[in-house]
Amino acid sequence: MNTYDKMGDIIPTGINHLDALLEGGLHKGELCLIAARSGIEKTAFATHIAGNIAKEGKKVCFISLEMSEEQLKNHMAKQGYSDVSITIDAYSKASPKYIFNKLETDKAEVAVIDYLELIQADGERVAKRQEILNIAYELRKLSEDLDIPIICTAQISRPRDGHLPELEYPFSVEIEQEASVIITLYRADYYYDTDMASDYAEIIVAKNKHGSNGTIPATFDKETLTFKDNI
């Protein structure tokens, strides 16, 4: 029996101290947001988690609205996941309905979507504010209906105080309500923080339905595009 069979409805991310904060890992039927600024490698963090999960035999579907399949495979090769089986669907016009059909057809056990703001709305066009809120709601409903964890990356704005990031939109409270977990990322070299080593990073659990929030000291390896916890 492997780790996942023992955990039942919880799927470990493979990042030990993150799993400890999340009471074991990702929970089925819930939405997890990975929020970071462009260029801080939130996609690489998502592929790292996807690779860890797929390596344990879970069916992972990665839907990319920005990167091509080749780009994602290059990311995963650097992270050591060349031989890991992950379904990659690079489609820039994916909508919640498209995502549901893809995940249901593939019998995915974990879904990763990159990224929230690029997902196309189903039905009539509405104001961007309402569109993003609707999509966040639909992703949460998809995770519940399919009974799988859904990881979705999202853009955030520049920090207002210290290096803690904030979600891009002024109506982020509504978006945050749809997610059970929100993870943000910090890199000293990205924020020009000369008080820290250049490879110093943090994995920040900013919202956690199942336990405490917390900050995990880490290093970011530019060669392998991985965040490694240092605790």
Side-chain angles (χ1 to χ4, degrees):
M1 181 180 289
N2 65 27
T3 302
Y4 296 102
D5 294 327
K6 294 176 183 177
M7 297 299 290
D9 290 341
I10 303 174
I11 300 177
T13 66
I15 301 173
N16 292 336
H17 293 94
L18 176 59
D19 289 333
L21 275 179
L22 300 182
E23 298 294 324
L26 302 172
H27 294 244
K28 292 181 180 181
E30 295 184 354
L31 174 64
C32 170
L33 290 180
I34 298 173
R37 282 188 58 78
S38 178
I40 209 166
E41 299 295 356
K42 63 182 178 293
T43 301
F45 186 70
T47 58
H48 180 43
I49 291 175
N52 286 343
I53 293 172
K55 191 166 63 174
E56 295 294 329
K58 286 292 185 182
K59 294 181 180 178
V60 179
C61 182
F62 197 116
I63 297 175
S64 173
L65 291 94
E66 183 177 38
M67 287 189 174
S68 67
E69 181 176 353
E70 182 179 2
Q71 288 174 312
L72 284 173
K73 286 183 175 179
N74 286 339
H75 266 65
M76 299 190 72
K78 290 181 180 180
Q79 294 171 332
Y81 300 123
S82 298
D83 299 327
V84 172
S85 178
I86 291 181
T87 299
I88 297 175
D89 187 340
Y91 182 50
S92 63
K93 296 183 180 180
S95 67
K97 185 178 294 185
Y98 176 90
I99 292 168
F100 176 85
N101 290 335
K102 176 66 178 175
L103 299 179
E104 187 176 47
T105 299
D106 289 356
K107 294 181 171 56
E109 295 172 279
V110 178
V112 184
I113 305 165
D114 186 38
Y115 58 90
L116 175 65
E117 291 80 4
L118 294 182
I119 298 172
Q120 303 291 302
D122 290 311
E124 296 181 3
R125 301 285 298 184
V126 296
K128 190 65 176 178
R129 169 191 172 101
Q130 190 60 48
E131 181 176 289
I132 297 296
L133 293 177
N134 291 349
I135 289 169
Y137 168 79
E138 290 296 334
L139 292 182
R140 179 179 63 80
K141 288 296 294 177
L142 288 184
S143 67
E144 293 174 353
D145 292 344
L146 295 170
D147 194 29
I148 64 172
I150 292 182
I151 302 168
C152 186
T153 61
Q155 295 281 45
I156 57 174
S157 63
R158 292 186 182 279
R160 295 180 182 178
D161 182 22
H163 63 246
L164 290 176
E166 297 184 0
L167 288 173
E168 186 83 52
Y169 295 95
F171 47 91
S172 62
V173 171
E174 291 95 329
I175 296 176
E176 291 170 3
Q177 288 175 347
E178 302 299 344
S180 295
V181 173
I182 298 177
I183 299 168
T184 65
L185 302 170
Y186 166 76
R187 280 172 46 198
D189 63 334
Y190 185 91
Y191 287 100
Y192 303 103
D193 188 346
T194 56
D195 293 333
M196 298 291 184
S198 61
D199 64 348
Y200 179 78
E202 291 175 353
I203 302 167
I204 304 163
V205 178
K207 178 181 178 181
N208 184 7
K209 178 181 176 181
H210 300 283
S212 302
N213 297 347
T215 297
I216 302 166
T219 55
F220 178 70
D221 188 327
K222 292 183 179 179
E223 294 299 318
T224 62
L225 298 176
T226 53
F227 290 80
K228 301 176 181 178
D229 52 346
N230 290 340
I231 298 176

